[in-house]
Amino acid sequence: MNKKQKKELVQNWEIFFIDRGVSEHLVDQYVKYVERLVESNLPVIFEIEHLSKLIGIDLFDLHKIVGNPNYFYREFTIPKKRGGTRTVTAPYPSLLMCQTWIYENILKPVPVHFCSHAYRENKSIITNATPHLNQKALLKMDMKDFFPSIPINWVINLFSQLGYPNNISYYLARICCFDNALPQGASTSPALSNILLRNLDSRLYKLSKSYNLNYTRYADDMAFSGHYIPHKIIGIIERIISDYGLLVNSDKTTLIVGDKQKIVTGISVKGNSLALPRSSKRLIKQEIHYIKQYGLVSHISKLKIKNPYYLQSLEGKLRFWLQIEPESDVASENLYFIKSLLNNK
């Protein structure tokens, strides 16, 4: 929206208030409120009735969501790569619609720190890993209970800082939270976490620069790399994160020095170019070797594979391999083989 359009929008609101017989004193207050939001390219919201119309949800349903958002989620667990399970709290369609509107219209344009690579356009695990290529030392740290550790009052304060009054900030925050914290599964949680941790990212980036290190964060995974990483920096990072009310999962803290394999968000950064870890390549090649040697049906039967999309999952792994190593002949040839099996099904 250009300056002229913004000015016209504010004027239209002013005309609206005057036509409705709003007192001159309140018109001035309302116009200033509108101007702040319009200048920031944010939607103007007056009261919960107005919010329901903007989202396109029945006012009664929105009242129920704001009154008790926990009733609008279902919980389930998914396995973690390193063992154990992760609880996902997924919103029902009506709540998801509200969250999606908040993300698209309010959260999406809000800037985040450039060191944050998760849940962002033109950012990925590849851009997250690239700064750590060919470094002698790599420090990996992980934040514990990431989303649930971010409380609702942070979210309320964020919407207030964006320019919304206390009541609107509270409504928006309630829509985005479960048990008064960010849920693992809400469509707003990824963007909110990046926005709310912008100052933390800035502080960790400045710390890394003071030690001539690179720093990136992908959700709860932090990586620091450079020529030399003093062990004392781990305690400094833990204290900084603790200052923000968050905790480091010390069991996952890893300092890798020398010629050992270094992996950041599932990608090897040991050399001058990104690579799929050797262990991942070996497993993929082994599976395809068995399919070629014994046949697909026999291989699936022998390993008791129950996944009906087994071939598609193999195809996905090979495409990921090629995304990291575009010139890999092995990945290309195996992808062609898997695609031929899929086409003949």
Side-chain angles (χ1 to χ4, degrees), residues 13-216:
W13 271 106
E14 186 173 7
I15 293 168
F16 173 82
F17 298 138
I18 294 170
D19 287 346
R20 292 299 183 279
V22 177
S23 66
E24 187 176 335
H25 172 68
L26 286 177
V27 169
D28 289 341
Q29 287 186 6
Y30 291 166
V31 168
K32 286 178 182 177
Y33 169 61
V34 169
E35 283 176 337
R36 287 198 305 271
L37 293 174
V38 170
E39 186 57 36
S40 300
N41 292 314
L42 293 171
V44 178
I45 306 172
F46 285 100
E47 292 300 335
I48 195 168
E49 294 89 348
H50 187 200
L51 179 60
S52 73
K53 285 180 168 39
L54 289 171
I55 294 173
I57 187 172
D58 183 80
L59 177 60
F60 179 73
D61 292 336
L62 184 57
H63 270 297
K64 287 197 294 184
I65 289 171
V66 170
N68 201 332
N70 287 15
Y71 287 160
F72 292 82
Y73 288 92
R74 63 186 180 92
E75 288 189 284
F76 57 92
T77 58
I78 58 173
K80 293 182 179 179
K81 286 184 178 180
R82 299 177 185 176
T85 59
R86 184 191 305 276
T87 300
V88 175
T89 311
Y92 286 125
S94 57
L95 177 55
L96 179 61
M97 180 175 72
C98 297
Q99 291 175 349
T100 301
W101 185 90
I102 291 172
Y103 169 71
E104 291 290 340
N105 294 278
I106 299 177
L107 301 177
K108 196 173 181 180
V110 180
V112 302
H113 199 274
F114 58 84
C115 287
S116 172
H117 291 258
Y119 322 119
R120 297 179 59 193
E121 291 181 3
N122 302 317
K123 295 278 189 175
S124 65
I125 58 173
I126 291 176
T127 63
N128 183 67
T130 301
H132 306 289
L133 277 169
N134 203 28
Q135 300 294 324
K136 288 189 176 181
L138 172 67
L139 171 64
K140 298 197 294 181
M141 300 179 74
D142 182 276
M143 280 184 267
K144 192 174 183 180
D145 299 325
F146 184 52
F147 285 143
S149 295
I150 299 175
I152 191 172
N153 62 299
W154 289 18
V155 184
I156 294 171
N157 290 337
L158 169 64
F159 288 122
S160 295
Q161 290 166 10
L162 290 175
Y164 292 105
N166 292 338
N167 61 332
I168 298 300
S169 297
Y170 175 77
Y171 301 148
L172 294 171
R174 289 284 285 177
I175 292 169
C176 297
C177 291
F178 173 86
D179 277 347
N180 293 322
L182 291 190
Q184 179 88 34
S187 60
T188 44
S189 292
L192 280 168
S193 67
N194 280 339
I195 296 166
L196 291 167
L197 295 189
R198 184 180 179 184
N199 288 338
L200 174 61
D201 285 329
S202 178
R203 197 168 166 188
L204 292 175
Y205 171 73
K206 289 175 183 175
L207 174 70
S208 67
K209 289 297 108 180
S210 69
Y211 283 90
N212 294 315
L213 301 176
N214 306 301
Y215 163 68
T216 63

Side-chain angles (χ1 to χ4, degrees), residues 225-236:
S225 66
H227 181 77
Y228 170 71
I229 299 178
H231 197 271
K232 68 177 183 179
I233 199 174
I234 296 174
I236 298 173

Side-chain angles (χ1 to χ4, degrees), residues 286-300:
Q286 186 179 62
E287 286 189 77
I288 293 173
H289 168 73
Y290 287 146
I291 292 173
K292 289 178 177 178
Q293 185 167 353
Y294 302 110
L296 177 62
V297 175
S298 176
H299 170 66
I300 289 175

Side-chain angles (χ1 to χ4, degrees), residues 4 10 16 91 108 118 128-130 161 199 204 249 256 261 289 308 313 317 319 344:
K4 184 181 178 183
V10 173
F16 173 82
K108 196 173 181 180
N128 183 67
T130 301
Q161 290 166 10
N199 288 338
L204 292 175
N249 189 343
I256 307 164
Q261 181 169 237
H289 168 73
S313 70
K317 291 175 184 178
R319 288 189 184 281
N344 290 329

Side-chain angles (χ1 to χ4, degrees), residues 296-326:
L296 177 62
V297 175
S298 176
H299 170 66
I300 289 175
S301 176
K302 186 174 290 187
L303 293 185
K304 298 180 180 179
I305 297 169
K306 297 180 180 179
N307 180 7
Y309 301 104
Y310 172 66
L311 282 180
Q312 288 88 340
S313 70
L314 265 180
E315 180 187 14
K317 291 175 184 178
L318 287 163
R319 288 189 184 281
F320 178 60
W321 184 348
L322 281 169
Q323 191 177 3
I324 299 168
E325 301 177 44

